[in-house]
Amino acid sequence: FAYGTTSENQHFGTVPNPVAPGRVAGGSSGGSAAALAAGLAEAALGTDSGGSIRIPSACCGIVGFKPTHGLVPLDGCFPLAPSFDHAGPMARDTAACARMMEALAPGFEPAELELGDLEVGIAWTEHADEGVRARVQVASEHFPRRRRLELPLAHGIGPAFRGEVADVHRELFLEHSDSYGRNVRLKVERCLALTEAEYERAAAARAAYREELAEATAEVDLVLTPTLVCVAPMAPTDEIALRDKLTCLTLPFNATGWPALALPCGPAEDGLPASVQLAAPPGGDARVLAAGAALERALSPD
C-alpha cells in the first residue's frame, strides 16, 4: 500500500540497506533504492506520496525524482492519497533519471544548464543534523546566485492526506483488516477516525500553503533544501514514531505537486550519505533535473 517510510514489512521482512548495514533503506520504495545501491539494477521505479521516492534515495545514497503531480501516469498503481500520489524514476545518477522521464512522461524534453544560470533559494537547513546540514551547505555553495529563503513547512496538512487514505481503504479495510500489517493497520484506523471538519480545515490549509510557497519563491528559479534531516536511521525502528521526522522536508512538495529531486551530496553522520533536495514550481521538471546533473558534476569533478 506504499504507506511506510522504512521498508520494514511485517509480511516480508526488512529491506536491507546496502550502503549502511543495520540501517533502514527508507520507504516506501526502499526495494528500488536498495537494488540500485547494490548494483542489481540500472534504473527503477518508485512512488511518492509523502517522500517515498526521495526518502529511500537519501537513505541509500542514490538519486530519486518526484515529477510534477500528474506528469507521469499512475495507471496500474494502487492509490494511497490520490492528489498527493506521484510516480517517478530512481537511478544511480541524474542523467539516468532524465532518460527514464523521456519514456515515462510523453512529451518530456530534457534541458541543459549551468549552475550560474539559476537563482537559487536555500531553505530548511536549520532543521537538519549537523553533518547533513554541513554537506547541504557545501552543495549549495556551488550555485553562484543563491540566497536564503524563509519557507514554511507544511503544518496542518496531514488530515487532508489521511482523508484521502480513508476514502481509498474504507471498503477494503472493512473486509480485510486482519490481513493488514500492524503498522499499516494502525495508520489506516487513524485515517478512518478522521472527521469531515478536520479534513476540510486541512484542505483549506493546503490551498493556503500552495499560495504561500509560490509567493515566497517567486524570485528564485530553484529551491535547495536537505532531503532528510538525518542519515538513515537504525533498524529496527518504530516507523510511526519516526514518520514525521522523515517526511517533514519531503511532504511539502507532495502537498504542492512540485517536482523534487533527491541527490547524494557526501558523507554525514557516521559516514553515511547526506542528500540534497532540489525543487521548483509545477512544470519545472526539466530545470530540476538539469540543475541536479550540473550539481552532480560539481560535487564529483572526476
Side-chain angles (χ1 to χ4, degrees):
F1 295 135
Y3 203 2
T5 58
T6 62
S7 294
E8 298 168 289
N9 187 284
Q10 180 177 323
H11 298 295
F12 302 107
T14 297
V15 175
N17 187 329
V19 302
R23 305 279 180 142
V24 300
S28 62
S29 301
S32 290
L36 289 162
L40 302 176
E42 293 299 315
L45 293 171
T47 60
D48 191 314
S49 301
S52 286
I53 286 173
R54 291 160 290 153
I55 293 168
S57 295
C59 288
C60 293
I62 59 105
V63 180
F65 180 58
K66 181 194 78 65
T68 295
H69 184 260
L71 182 60
V72 172
L74 286 168
D75 301 350
C77 293
F78 189 90
L80 178 58
S83 75
F84 291 80
D85 293 350
H86 302 66
M90 303 168 71
R92 285 191 289 276
D93 59 41
T94 306
C97 285
R99 289 195 300 272
M100 288 180 71
M101 282 298 294
E102 293 184 69
L104 290 168
F108 175 81
E109 295 185 3
E112 292 188 10
L113 52 77
E114 301 297 326
L115 296 178
D117 296 337
L118 298 169
E119 189 78 29
V120 177
I122 316 300
W124 300 340
T125 53
E126 69 276 14
H127 298 293
D129 292 346
E130 182 178 358
V132 172
R133 182 169 63 250
R135 285 298 178 180
V136 171
Q137 181 64 36
V138 169
S140 74
E141 291 169 359
H142 288 284
F143 290 93
R145 298 163 55 201
R146 62 186 184 273
R147 66 173 74 175
R148 181 74 191 176
L149 286 183
E150 296 301 323
L151 295 187
L153 291 172
H155 296 303
I157 291 172
F161 183 99
R162 294 196 294 274
E164 294 189 18
V165 175
D167 288 342
V168 167
H169 282 270
R170 202 175 308 276
E171 293 184 13
L172 187 67
F173 190 77
L174 198 61
E175 296 180 23
H176 301 285
S177 60
D178 290 345
S179 297
Y180 281 63
R182 179 179 181 275
N183 174 280
V184 176
R185 184 171 65 252
L186 291 173
K187 286 181 287 194
V188 171
E189 287 173 344
R190 183 186 181 198
C191 294
L192 292 171
L194 190 74
T195 68
E196 186 67 25
E198 289 172 322
Y199 173 80
E200 294 296 340
R201 283 195 298 270
R206 182 185 184 187
Y209 183 68
R210 283 197 186 105
E211 294 181 7
E212 191 175 5
L213 204 63
E215 182 177 346
T217 59
E219 296 183 1
V220 300
D221 302 304
L222 194 73
V223 174
L224 183 153
T225 78
T227 306
L228 298 182
V229 300
C230 59
V231 297
M234 296 292 294
T237 187
D238 180 350
E239 191 270 338
I240 292 176
L242 188 64
R243 183 177 182 82
D244 287 348
K245 180 178 181 179
L246 293 182
T247 61
C248 67
L249 306 186
T250 54
L251 178 62
F253 300 123
N254 295 89
T256 58
W258 287 28
L261 177 77
L263 180 74
C265 60
E269 278 77 10
D270 300 313
L272 300 179
S275 178
V276 61
Q277 180 173 225
L278 305 178
D285 301 75
R287 185 194 321 155
V288 170
L289 285 165
L295 179 57
E296 201 171 53
R297 291 191 295 270
L299 291 170
S300 305
D302 297 334

